[in-house]
Amino acid sequence: MDKSKKNKPVVGITLGDINGIGPEVIIKALEDSRILKFMTPVIYGSSKVVSYYRKALDLSDFNYHQIKDLGQLFHRKVNVYNLWEETVEIKMGEENETGGKYAFLSLKAAVADLKDGKIDAVVTAPISKNNIQSEEFKFPGHTEYLAETFGVKDHLMLMAGDKMKIGLVTGHIPLKAVVSALGKELILKKLSVLDSTLKKDFGIKKPRIAVLGLNPHAGENGLLGNEERDVISPVLKEWKEKGNLVFGPFPSDGFFGTLMHAKYDGVLAMYHDQALIPFKTLCFETGVNYTAGLPAVRTSPDHGTAYSLVGKNEASESSMREAIFMAADIVKQRRVNDGEETED
């Protein structure tokens, strides 16, 4: 293997739910010829599934190299790693047990190779959080599964786009459980992970971080809630005293309404929709879901299975493409940090 091939990150891509838009957006994203210049992509799944969607959507210009193990990688083509030989019945747009079964087989194999260092990053295509549940997968989503697999307690769901990077203190939990879940220790941990990933993975030496309040108007000095005064503000005070650039807590409506997010390198939100609604409003086509705090790199497009779009050739591949490029960029940034590569 020549040096140029060796230095290119090997990026695994899971198929996701085979009845969702995952296969379509993967194929469309990998049609971008620039990708092969910067990385070696490996689709974890089945060439039969890929071929089915290529034919069904008339994407005949897409070509790939089939492999049965990573020793057969071809660095100038897209690789499809055949994990199963059987022909699987595809029912486009239908959420069923088959979609969940093969989504997990793809995910399990890719994450195992990522953990073993056989590949450099994983990009996960959308799954149904309902049909993937099994004895082996009892998690709210990818993030929790990856954290458990890598034995990482302090991790962060980070939504990253060209206009904003926003992390979540609480993720996939019911809204009524958010208040009881929030605490000084949890907020401090999430703030620390956000700060660390902005430095390590995105190359920002001295990040400016904005923190949102929980309640309307950030509690209005206790009139609308005490969490800002009693929990969030003390954490920010402690963080500032250590020389970090942290600001807030901000009322989230005014914060996004006045586009204040543009003044900061990262934003920390208290709960899921507080982050995801503004993020998807501003970055839906280019947004990426990144699991910060892992020893390995995992990204994902910021959308779901979109069953209603399957088979219509209408799904946009923009977010998947961005997720693939971001995975490779973070791998390279970590190599720069470790002195393995120099910045261009």
Side-chain angles (χ1 to χ4, degrees):
M1 184 183 297
D2 64 46
K3 185 176 179 181
S4 64
K5 294 177 183 176
K6 185 176 180 180
N7 286 344
K8 287 201 302 183
V10 178
V11 178
I13 305 169
T14 68
L15 268 181
D17 191 319
I18 59 173
N19 296 317
I21 63 168
E24 176 181 343
V25 296
I26 290 169
I27 292 171
K28 288 180 175 178
L30 293 178
E31 284 184 314
D32 189 326
S33 60
R34 297 174 300 166
I35 285 177
L36 293 176
K37 296 178 182 179
F38 298 104
M39 70 199 81
T40 300
V42 186
I43 302 172
Y44 278 72
S46 164
S47 59
K48 293 179 180 179
V49 175
V50 174
S51 179
Y52 179 92
Y53 276 96
R54 182 176 67 171
K55 182 178 180 180
L57 300 170
D58 193 23
L59 300 172
S60 56
D61 290 338
F62 176 71
N63 297 303
Y64 56 87
H65 172 67
Q66 297 185 52
I67 63 173
K68 292 186 177 180
D69 63 70
L70 292 177
Q72 300 174 330
L73 278 182
F74 195 91
H75 290 270
R76 294 192 182 94
K77 288 186 178 180
V78 174
N79 297 267
V80 176
Y81 192 161
N82 283 305
L83 300 176
W84 59 84
E85 295 296 333
E86 67 268 24
T87 299
V88 179
E89 184 179 10
I90 296 172
K91 293 187 176 181
M92 293 190 291
E94 179 179 307
E95 181 181 358
N96 58 33
E97 185 178 339
T98 300
K101 174 185 175 181
Y102 288 96
F104 179 66
L105 287 177
S106 174
L107 176 65
K108 182 180 179 181
V111 171
D113 283 350
L114 180 66
K115 188 176 181 182
D116 290 342
K118 295 179 180 179
I119 59 178
D120 298 301
V122 158
V123 180
T124 56
I127 59 172
S128 163
K129 294 177 176 61
N130 179 43
N131 69 15
I132 198 173
Q133 298 299 319
S134 67
E135 288 301 314
E136 290 189 87
F137 191 98
K138 297 180 179 179
F139 302 91
H142 283 113
T143 301
E144 295 81 5
Y145 173 74
L146 285 153
E148 176 77 16
T149 301
F150 282 92
V152 173
K153 291 183 179 180
D154 297 340
H155 58 88
L156 179 76
M157 180 177 174
L158 179 67
M159 307 305 296
D162 55 348
K163 298 178 181 178
M164 185 195 317
K165 293 179 179 64
I166 185 165
L168 286 66
V169 175
T170 62
H172 296 119
I173 64 173
L175 187 58
K176 65 181 180 180
V178 169
V179 173
S180 58
L182 287 177
K184 294 179 182 179
E185 184 178 358
L186 179 62
I187 296 171
L188 190 59
K189 285 180 178 178
K190 298 296 184 180
L191 186 57
S192 179
V193 175
L194 177 57
D195 181 72
S196 176
T197 201
L198 290 172
K199 293 174 179 175
K200 180 177 69 173
D201 297 332
F202 295 94
I204 303 170
K205 294 181 179 180
K206 192 73 172 177
R208 290 171 52 85
I209 298 175
V211 178
L212 304 179
L214 171 69
N215 298 294
H217 306 291
E220 201 75 78
N221 295 317
L223 180 65
L224 302 177
N226 298 322
E227 285 77 16
E228 288 78 12
R229 182 186 62 197
D230 298 341
V231 181
I232 302 173
S233 291
V235 171
L236 304 193
K237 183 175 183 293
E238 178 181 338
W239 195 250
K240 287 179 183 178
E241 289 173 351
K242 295 179 180 179
N244 298 294
L245 300 177
V246 62
F247 306 87
F250 295 104
S252 56
D253 57 349
F255 183 83
F256 294 110
T258 56
L259 305 180
M260 286 181 66
H261 63 274
K263 299 178 181 179
Y264 300 94
D265 300 302
V267 181
L268 188 65
M270 295 297 114
Y271 58 94
H272 186 277
D273 283 10
Q274 186 184 46
L276 271 292
I277 290 173
F279 182 81
K280 290 192 175 184
T281 299
L282 294 169
C283 308
F284 192 72
E285 288 293 323
T286 58
V288 176
N289 181 349
Y290 176 53
T291 306
L294 295 180
V297 177
R298 176 261 172 167
T299 64
S300 179
D302 71 345
H303 56 71
T305 52
Y307 291 121
S308 63
L309 293 180
V310 182
K312 298 178 181 179
N313 206 0
E314 295 177 358
S316 171
E317 73 277 15
S318 297
S319 183
M320 173 60 77
R321 184 190 299 115
E322 292 299 320
I324 294 170
F325 275 117
M326 184 178 290
D329 287 344
I330 293 174
V331 169
K332 292 178 180 179
Q333 180 62 49
R334 289 189 177 189
R335 289 177 178 176
V336 169
N337 298 342
D338 294 337
E340 298 175 18
E341 289 186 7
T342 58
E343 294 185 275
D344 294 334

